[in-house]
Amino acid sequence: MNTGENEQALRKIMDLTRLGSILVLGLHFYYECYRFFVFLAWQTTLTDRILTNLVHTGLFRQFAYAKALALVLLIISLLGVKAKKQEKLKTKTAVSYLLVGLLLFWCSGALFQWELNDSTLTIGYLAVTSVGFLLILTGGVYLSRIIRTHLNDKDIFNRENETFPQEERLLENEYSINLPAEYYLRGKKRKSWINIINPFRGVLVMGTPGSGKSYFFIEHVIRQHIRKGFAMLVYDFKFDDLSRIAYNTWLHNQGAYENPSKCYFIDFERIIHRCNPLEPASMNDITDAAEAARTILLGLNREWIKKQGDFFVESPINFLTAIIWYLRKYNDGEFCTLPHVIELMQVDYDRLFTILRTEKEIEALINPFVSAYLNDVMEQLEGQIAAAKISMARLVSPQLYYVMSGNDFTLDINNPEEPKIVCLGNNPQKQQVYGAVLSLYVSRLIKTVNKKGKLKCSMVFDEFPTIYLNNIDSLIATARSNLVATTLGIQDFSQLKKDYGKDQADVIMNITGNVVSGQVNGETAKHLSERFGKIMQDRTSLSINRTDTSISKSKQLDTAVPPSRISSLSSGEFVGMIADEPRLRIELKSFHANILQPILHKDQKEFAISSASAVGKQADDAAIRSVYLQLKQEVEGLVDSEVERIITDPVLSINLIKK
């Protein structure tokens, strides 16, 4: 520790050294301009004797020796200068003084080459050399006043200090999603890889509109998983953006599957394929019917999601469950389709309750409705049933009836013998109606694929909140062992909370192992910032007062990616955290990088889904209308034949209701 006495002694030594520099320079002047000083009578016997002795030392043997010694002593004296720091003083200013001073100091000797009289030569040489000496002294003092600690005034948002090392290795396996990226580390751009080596732990992709979550990420998932032989479900909110990518990738990679694979599309406006989501073979017991009923009604009435358990929410669900299961049991499910369910619900109560009472498995479900009808509690009955009838009536459409009554393919997409790529197309202008129907497709498909011994499967949901899946958290939690990878795309956590309720949204947010986010704001940005954790960052503080300058440096843990940074991400710039697995542990799980879009093969022709090369002839209006009328006639025929059978059978006639 330095004491005041030591500092004072050091200052005296520096002053003495500087004085020695001036003395040597003065002797140099006296020797080189001796004739002028003699002319001024500034010469004595003593000075001549001293000068003679100095000459014998060799100090004046060469013209530059004494000047060099004076300069060295001056530099030594400047090394110990402790001047008051000036925040605005720049190195460029100090260096300029030094360079000009050195130039004048050394080049002043050129005056001796000119033809000048002694007076002019001496005065000129002394003036130029002295000015150079003073400029060197001034520049050295300025250098000591400059704050040598690097305060990066250009990085006002602390971007450089918030950078951290990221995974630069390509870690690939048969299931992985690998995204090339680049990131900044201490001001340098570096190449990296975002390696989602275990997509079965769930992938949550977030980003406001235009952040690039579909273009930079979801398209990667579709292409890479199809190339690796995954069966796939693609929920395409803006059909056919993602479906076209899935279809063309499948066309060029059909060899990735051991058995012949097929690609199917469900779209209610440009009909290509038909599929019955209530296929009898996939409905093994009444709980399947109950789940289907809950999915379709909650999809049509999103406000019911937060009111599950209420009387006027559960009653319509029970009523619809009874209708579905009755048609599943009737004639081995011959008419078990959603259009038949909708039409059967519209039958008058006398005939409807009469035929439903013949099925013992749904007796407990329909008894409250029958009792209310027989006891003329019509207000309650209409409140219970009308909600279901009104909701389901929104699905009455020839196109919907046509698509949901066909059997072009089954929903077991990960069947090893017949792997499938299935694309479900929605329309943003009709998302509430189409979304409810597509929710039923997805719900039934999840039940089918989440089984052991199946092919690896990838389920990709763009704009996930536009459909309702009551058991999506269960799928992410339990399907990992069955090789089912789930990718959910949302715009913001608040959107998910609005459509699914806070509890369900929290579960989905916290249960996913891999999180990728573009620009998001508010609560979502805060949640992600906490999830990414903290890193060690440098801190520098500068304190200047009238007598001293204090600079302190420290390191402290601070947020790796603050909420403000997440709120200002550019399109294609993502932050996130990936999950590893026991066989391949990843130390650097967090990332903040720009995802690089790969260069696609331009030589591969891209086919449109509507072309003849896709899947064949599209349905015409006449065929659609014909199926629509046929379904209505089939329900009428079913009701008439069943009522007639009940009337003629003495055992069943006790179920007859007539008011």
Side-chain angles (χ1 to χ4, degrees):
M1 179 177 178
N2 291 331
T3 63
E5 290 77 11
N6 288 337
E7 291 182 2
Q8 187 176 4
L10 179 62
R11 191 178 303 115
K12 288 181 178 180
I13 292 172
M14 293 300 103
D15 291 342
L16 183 61
T17 306
R18 190 176 302 116
L19 182 60
S21 173
I22 296 172
L23 180 61
V24 171
L25 186 61
L27 290 171
H28 168 76
F29 288 153
Y30 188 78
Y31 177 80
E32 296 298 339
C33 303
Y34 182 75
R35 288 188 300 176
F36 178 72
F37 290 113
V38 170
F39 173 75
L40 294 177
W42 290 4
Q43 171 258 347
T44 65
T45 305
L46 178 63
T47 57
D48 286 349
R49 188 179 304 162
I50 295 173
L51 189 62
T52 301
N53 292 331
L54 289 173
V55 168
H56 290 158
T57 65
L59 180 63
F60 305 116
R61 184 177 304 167
Q62 294 291 336
F63 181 82
Y65 281 3
K67 290 181 71 173
L69 179 59
L71 181 62
V72 170
L73 292 174
L74 176 61
I75 292 174
I76 292 173
S77 70
L78 291 173
L79 293 177
V81 172
K82 290 188 176 181
K84 180 184 176 182
K85 306 296 183 182
Q86 293 184 10
E87 188 177 8
K88 296 182 179 181
L89 192 59
K90 303 298 182 183
T91 304
K92 184 178 179 181
T93 304
V95 172
S96 299
Y97 274 94
L98 286 172
L99 291 178
V100 174
L102 286 170
L103 181 65
L104 295 176
F105 187 79
W106 281 112
C107 296
S108 59
L111 294 174
F112 287 93
Q113 306 299 323
W114 296 2
E115 296 181 0
L116 301 172
N117 58 55
D118 290 344
S119 299
T120 305
L121 175 62
T122 302
I123 294 172
Y125 179 66
L126 265 64
V128 173
T129 306
S130 299
V131 169
F133 185 87
L134 293 174
L135 287 176
I136 294 172
L137 178 61
T138 304
V141 173
Y142 279 179
L143 277 177
S144 67
R145 292 182 177 181
I146 294 173
I147 299 171
R148 291 182 174 85
T149 301
H150 179 64
L151 296 177
N152 194 351
D153 295 335
K154 295 181 180 179
D155 188 22
I156 59 176
F157 294 110
N158 199 35
R159 293 181 184 274
E160 185 174 325
N161 208 20
E162 288 169 356
T163 60
F164 51 89
Q166 300 175 35
E167 186 59 69
E168 298 182 3
R169 299 172 296 166
L170 172 60
L171 306 175
E172 193 172 13
N173 58 33
E174 59 179 315
Y175 312 120
S176 65
I177 304 163
N178 304 98
L179 293 85
E182 62 181 19
Y183 73 102
Y184 286 90
L185 180 63
R186 299 299 179 187
K188 294 183 179 180
K189 186 183 294 186
R190 302 178 67 94
K191 299 293 184 181
S192 65
W193 285 90
I194 300 172
N195 303 295
I196 300 179
I197 60 173
N198 194 348
F200 305 118
R201 294 178 65 175
V203 183
L204 183 63
V205 190
M206 294 181 285
T208 54
S211 61
K213 63 181 180 297
S214 298
Y215 181 71
F216 287 96
F217 188 85
I218 292 179
E219 289 184 10
H220 275 285
V221 177
I222 295 172
R223 289 192 177 99
Q224 294 188 30
H225 273 176
I226 292 178
R227 288 169 188 160
K228 293 183 177 182
F230 275 72
M232 181 170 286
L233 168 71
V234 177
Y235 170 64
D236 192 354
F237 179 63
K238 292 174 282 190
F239 189 83
D240 60 351
D241 292 352
L242 299 179
S243 301
R244 187 173 62 254
I245 292 169
Y247 174 62
N248 282 278
T249 305
W250 169 76
L251 280 179
H252 295 112
N253 295 276
Q254 296 186 51
Y257 302 89
E258 293 184 4
N259 294 312
S261 58
K262 294 184 179 179
C263 191
Y264 297 97
F265 305 90
I266 295 296
D267 181 41
F268 302 111
E269 297 183 347
R270 187 174 50 180
I271 298 173
I272 302 173
H273 288 114
R274 304 167 68 194
C275 180
N276 176 18
L278 299 180
E279 181 191 13
S282 66
M283 303 190 69
N284 301 317
D285 55 50
I286 196 171
T287 58
D288 292 327
E291 186 178 349
R294 184 174 297 275
T295 299
I296 192 72
L297 284 177
L298 294 185
L300 288 167
N301 305 278
R302 289 299 185 91
E303 66 277 5
W304 289 8
I305 296 174
K306 303 172 186 177
K307 301 177 182 178
Q308 294 186 67
D310 289 359
F311 176 76
F312 286 104
V313 172
E314 297 300 325
S315 293
I317 293 174
N318 287 346
F319 178 69
L320 184 56
T321 301
I323 300 289
I324 294 174
W325 192 245
Y326 174 81
L327 290 175
R328 168 63 183 87
K329 300 294 289 185
Y330 177 79
N331 203 12
D332 200 25
E334 179 184 2
F335 301 125
C336 187
T337 72
L338 192 61
H340 287 94
V341 169
I342 297 171
E343 290 300 320
L344 185 59
M345 292 176 67
Q346 312 305 320
V347 175
D348 61 87
Y349 291 147
D350 282 349
R351 295 193 298 164
L352 179 61
F353 290 147
T354 295
I355 64 174
L356 290 180
R357 292 178 72 186
T358 61
E359 180 54 58
K360 297 302 180 183
E361 289 189 39
I362 61 173
E363 186 174 359
L365 293 175
I366 63 168
N367 265 343
F369 306 106
V370 174
S371 298
Y373 181 64
L374 293 176
N375 294 321
D376 288 325
V377 189
M378 298 305 294
E379 243 182 78
Q380 175 185 316
L381 182 65
E382 288 299 333
Q384 291 173 288
I385 295 180
K389 292 173 69 174
I390 293 171
S391 298
M392 298 298 288
R394 290 153 62 188
L395 303 180
V396 177
S397 162
Q399 287 81 8
L400 289 174
Y401 276 30
Y402 182 81
V403 172
M404 292 188 292
S405 60
N407 289 291
D408 291 340
F409 66 95
T410 56
L411 295 175
D412 56 340
I413 63 173
N414 58 345
N415 182 353
E417 303 300 322
E418 190 183 351
K420 305 179 185 72
I421 309 294
V422 174
C423 301
L424 305 178
N426 204 337
N427 184 337
Q429 275 119 20
K430 303 177 182 178
Q431 60 175 322
Q432 191 167 11
V433 174
Y434 289 175
V437 177
L438 295 175
S439 299
L440 179 60
Y441 274 104
V442 177
S443 177
R444 300 303 308 149
L445 186 143
I446 288 174
K447 269 287 212 187
T448 306
V449 302
N450 194 11
K451 297 178 181 178
K452 294 188 178 297
K454 298 286 188 176
L455 185 69
K456 55 190 177 184
C457 175
S458 180
M459 307 182 72
V460 180
F461 301 94
D462 185 27
E463 302 297 344
F464 174 70
T466 57
I467 60 173
Y468 174 73
L469 298 180
N470 190 44
N471 55 353
I472 187 64
D473 54 334
S474 176
L475 173 69
I476 298 172
T478 63
R480 181 171 54 87
S481 59
N482 297 329
L483 300 183
V484 178
T486 308
T487 302
L488 307 179
I490 67 173
Q491 292 184 4
D492 192 81
F493 179 66
S494 58
Q495 179 194 34
L496 189 65
K497 189 163 60 174
K498 177 179 75 72
D499 291 319
Y500 275 79
K502 186 178 186 307
D503 293 339
Q504 183 79 346
D506 285 336
V507 172
I508 294 173
M509 191 79 168
N510 296 326
I511 204 172
T512 48
N514 302 284
V515 177
V516 180
S517 175
Q519 181 193 29
V520 290
N521 303 299
E523 182 183 350
T524 310
K526 292 179 182 177
H527 177 88
L528 290 174
S529 181
E530 293 174 0
R531 187 164 184 165
F532 300 148
K534 298 182 177 182
I535 59 174
M536 193 69 73
Q537 297 186 20
D538 296 329
R539 289 288 181 266
T540 303
S541 63
L542 173 65
S543 176
I544 301 176
N545 55 42
R546 60 189 299 270
T547 59
D548 195 12
T549 300
S550 173
I551 299 172
S552 62
K553 290 184 178 181
S554 64
K555 287 184 178 290
Q556 66 182 50
L557 280 173
D558 208 345
T559 308
V561 188
S564 59
R565 183 78 65 248
I566 300 175
S567 300
S568 60
L569 294 176
S570 302
S571 180
E573 185 181 4
F574 290 84
V575 297
M577 179 173 286
I578 56 96
D580 57 9
E581 58 182 9
R583 293 174 296 177
L584 180 58
R585 297 192 180 276
I586 300 176
E587 187 69 24
L588 303 173
K589 296 183 175 67
S590 299
F591 63 87
H592 176 190
N594 291 295
I595 296 178
L596 304 177
Q597 191 69 358
I599 300 175
L600 303 178
H601 298 290
K602 299 299 182 182
D603 56 332
Q604 292 184 348
K605 184 179 179 181
E606 183 171 318
F607 295 95
I609 292 175
S610 58
S611 67
S613 61
V615 283
K617 184 179 179 181
Q618 298 182 15
D620 56 24
D621 292 340
I624 294 173
R625 188 71 183 174
S626 174
V627 169
Y628 176 70
L629 297 175
Q630 179 185 344
L631 289 170
K632 288 180 171 290
Q633 293 172 359
E634 288 174 349
V635 172
E636 278 297 321
L638 180 154
V639 173
D640 291 342
S641 63
E642 280 299 290
V643 170
E644 185 177 349
R645 184 175 70 87
I646 292 170
I647 292 174
T648 57
D649 189 330
V651 178
L652 298 176
S653 60
I654 60 173
N655 296 316
L656 189 65
I657 296 177
K658 189 172 184 180
K659 287 182 66 177

